Amino acid sequence: MGVEIERKFLVPEGGSVPDGREFEVRQGYLVLGPEGAEARVRRQGEEYSLTVKRGAGLVRGEWETPLGAEQFADLWPATEHARIDKTRRVVPLGPHEAVVDTYRGRLAGLRTVEVEFTDPEAAAAFTPPPWFGPEVTDRPEFKNQRLAAADAPPLP
């Protein structure tokens, strides 16, 4: 089993984000289960993947496998009512990377930033830079699987 250890924050409205590499992300959810379980397909730039996650909060189980473009296209229609479109910017942040997502469509106006860690201790020791807003790691309404089915961005 893979493990994802991640903290998530909002980016304040009008806040400046440092430069980084950018690409488009389309992800759709095949399964939205209880207690954070999910299965999704994602196109990130020209890479395609199928990811299964289990759990909620800081530490979650995660399994990811690459897909071909044709496999992604075959599965995409099954995600019709649970999709996210966003621009992703990856910003170097010392020993970490900050992954900034700017959402489009019905979630326009929402910007989040996530940082992954190697262990819970590193996550606890992390001090967010000033351009980060409030932490939403433990707020279920800011999980991508919930956002995929939301009509509008949640309130901060």
Side-chain angles (χ1 to χ4, degrees):
M1 168 174 99
V3 175
E4 173 186 70
I5 303 168
E6 179 179 85
R7 289 177 64 186
K8 188 171 191 174
F9 302 82
L10 297 179
V11 177
E13 188 175 333
S16 179
V17 174
D19 290 335
R21 68 183 193 280
E22 282 192 355
F23 41 89
E24 300 306 309
V25 175
R26 295 188 80 196
Q27 62 191 45
Y29 290 81
L30 300 162
V31 176
L32 297 171
E35 299 178 19
E38 65 185 60
R40 71 161 189 240
V41 291
R42 174 189 280 170
R43 177 181 181 179
Q44 184 167 275
E46 294 305 314
E47 296 179 8
Y48 304 87
S49 62
L50 169 67
T51 304
V52 175
K53 295 185 181 187
R54 184 174 56 204
L58 179 67
V59 181
R60 304 176 68 192
E62 179 181 60
W63 300 264
E64 186 169 277
T65 189
L67 295 177
E70 187 174 312
Q71 292 169 307
F72 176 85
D74 286 345
L75 292 169
W76 186 250
T79 69
E80 182 178 1
H81 299 291
R83 294 179 178 166
I84 293 176
D85 286 308
K86 57 192 175 183
T87 300
R88 175 163 281 179
R89 180 182 293 182
V90 180
V91 178
L93 196 63
H96 309 290
E97 289 183 326
V99 177
V100 180
D101 288 335
T102 301
Y103 294 81
R104 294 190 297 272
R106 69 190 187 292
L107 299 173
L110 177 62
R111 291 192 304 167
T112 62
V113 56
E114 300 172 346
V115 181
E116 288 196 20
F117 301 93
T118 55
D119 56 62
E121 293 77 21
F126 177 72
T127 301
W131 59 273
F132 281 36
E135 185 165 5
V136 294
T137 300
D138 293 321
R139 292 189 54 193
E141 67 269 30
F142 285 98
K143 300 296 181 199
N144 279 321
Q145 67 162 256
R146 291 275 292 270
L147 293 172
D151 293 328
L155 297 174

